[in-house]
């Protein structure tokens, strides 16, 4: 795993944007899995700008959803689907046939996990995953203690995720369960980019990068990825004792 510490959130976002644009330039039919959330928001705006100004077409690639809140409809502004639709898919002109996200309203959540796993297999795996880090060290909704070999699965959300997740919703919202790709998908991806920004994530990032590699802190598994990179801004890297990995 490589570690890159960037000056600030803007520089970090530019680097994430470069990862995505460069993949599409070299491999227009790539399969991408990109997190929702506050951390990648600016990177996606930069991707949309670069695609527009550089005439880069995203018409051949495929997007796989990383995760979703169970029971939250896609038109709820707090859903992952809504976030990606408004911040990435609509600005890039992505057609619905290119998007495979979890239906978090289905009564057959296990079938939904199998459906998404099958799509990933048919596509030959994921070329690029970009994941954020939760305040409890989760990636996607892989919560502390998750088995490392799981693919898509349904999960009871951790108390931290339930409370921190309220920030995405206008009104207080019951967040009990999530549906998510698993750590196996993450480890099998051909390129994994983990991003974190800001002082509030500094303590968990220290555990992710300098504590034991353990699914107690799921994001620490990035250190076992053969082509993984962690990108942080200076504020987020402030508690690291070793800045060179
Ligand atoms: C969202 C997701 C979550 C977030 C994480 C960090 O699709 O998978 O794991 O990446 O909770 O969220 P932010 O970026 O809002 O701090």
């Amino acid at each position: 795993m490589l570690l890159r510490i960037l000056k600030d959130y803007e520089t970090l976002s530019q680097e994430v944007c470069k990862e995505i644009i460069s993949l599409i330039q070299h491999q227009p039919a790539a399969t991408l899995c990109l997190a929702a959330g506050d951390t990648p928001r600016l990177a996606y705006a930069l991707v949309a700008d670069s695609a527009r100004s550089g005439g880069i077409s995203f018409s051949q690639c495929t997007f796989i959803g990383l995760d979703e809140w169970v029971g939250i409809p896609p038109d709820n502004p707090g859903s992952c689907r809504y976030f990606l639709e408004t911040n990435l898919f609509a600005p890039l002109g992505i057609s619905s046939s290119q998007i495979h996200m979890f239906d978090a309203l289905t009564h057959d959540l296990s079938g939904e996990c199998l459906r998404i796993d099958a799509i990933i297999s048919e596509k030959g795996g994921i070329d690029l995953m970009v994941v954020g880090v939760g305040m409890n060290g989760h990636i996607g909704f892989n919560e502390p203690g998750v088995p490392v070999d799981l693919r898509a699965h349904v999960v009871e959300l951790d108390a931290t995720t339930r409370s921190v997740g309220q920030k995405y919703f206008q009104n207080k919202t019951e967040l009990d369960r999530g549906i998510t790709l698993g750590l196996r998908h993450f480890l099998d991806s051909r390129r994994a980019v983990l991003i974190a920004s800001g002082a509030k994530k500094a303590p968990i990032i220290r555990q992710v990068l300098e504590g034991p590699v353990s699914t107690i802190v799921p994001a620490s598994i990035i250190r076992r990825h053969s082509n993984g990179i962690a990108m942080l801004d200076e504020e987020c890297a402030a508690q690291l004792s070793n800045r060179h990995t």
Side-chain angles (χ1 to χ4, degrees), residues 30-227:
T31 298
L32 297 90
C33 174
L34 308 179
D38 290 334
T39 315
R41 193 183 294 273
L42 177 59
Y44 298 162
L46 296 174
V47 166
D49 286 351
S50 308
R52 213 174 295 120
S53 60
I56 298 154
S57 169
F58 278 68
S59 62
Q60 293 177 56
C61 66
T62 298
F63 288 93
I64 306 287
L66 174 60
D67 52 4
E68 191 55 276
W69 309 99
V70 168
I72 301 296
D75 60 354
N76 182 319
S79 70
C80 298
R81 175 67 192 243
Y82 188 95
F83 174 92
L84 289 170
E85 195 64 52
T86 50
N87 288 283
L88 200 63
F89 301 152
L92 285 174
I94 304 297
S95 75
S96 54
S97 63
Q98 294 173 263
I99 303 169
H100 303 280
M101 292 195 68
F102 290 111
D103 172 2
L105 299 180
T106 179
H107 293 296
D108 181 12
L109 289 167
S110 313
E112 189 60 8
C113 290
L114 294 175
R115 183 181 75 84
I116 294 290
D117 283 348
I119 292 169
I120 294 171
S121 297
E122 278 160 29
K123 294 283 168 195
I126 298 170
D127 294 300
L128 172 66
M129 281 183 91
V130 176
V131 298
V133 180
M135 294 298 288
N136 61 356
H138 74 199
I139 50 181
F141 285 142
N142 288 276
E143 299 285 51
V146 62
V148 75
D149 269 328
L150 282 191
R151 291 189 166 76
H153 61 281
V154 177
V155 57
E156 289 289 324
L157 295 170
D158 179 278
T160 305
T161 303
R162 291 177 198 216
S163 69
V164 174
Q166 298 298 325
K167 69 176 175 166
Y168 305 119
F169 295 88
Q170 281 146 5
N171 304 309
K172 189 173 182 333
T173 305
E174 285 287 296
L175 302 171
D176 301 327
R177 288 187 298 163
I179 183 166
T180 183
L181 298 191
L183 293 182
R184 191 71 259 158
H185 290 302
F186 183 69
L187 286 171
D188 287 350
S189 64
R190 280 183 272 282
R191 173 77 163 159
V193 179
L194 179 145
I195 55 174
S197 154
K200 70 175 190 295
K201 296 259 176 89
I204 190 66
I205 283 299
R206 179 164 190 200
Q207 289 187 52
V208 166
L209 297 179
E210 297 186 343
V213 176
S214 155
T215 61
I216 300 298
V217 181
S220 65
I221 221 72
I222 180 89
R223 286 152 62 195
R224 295 283 174 269
H225 197 291
S226 53
N227 190 22

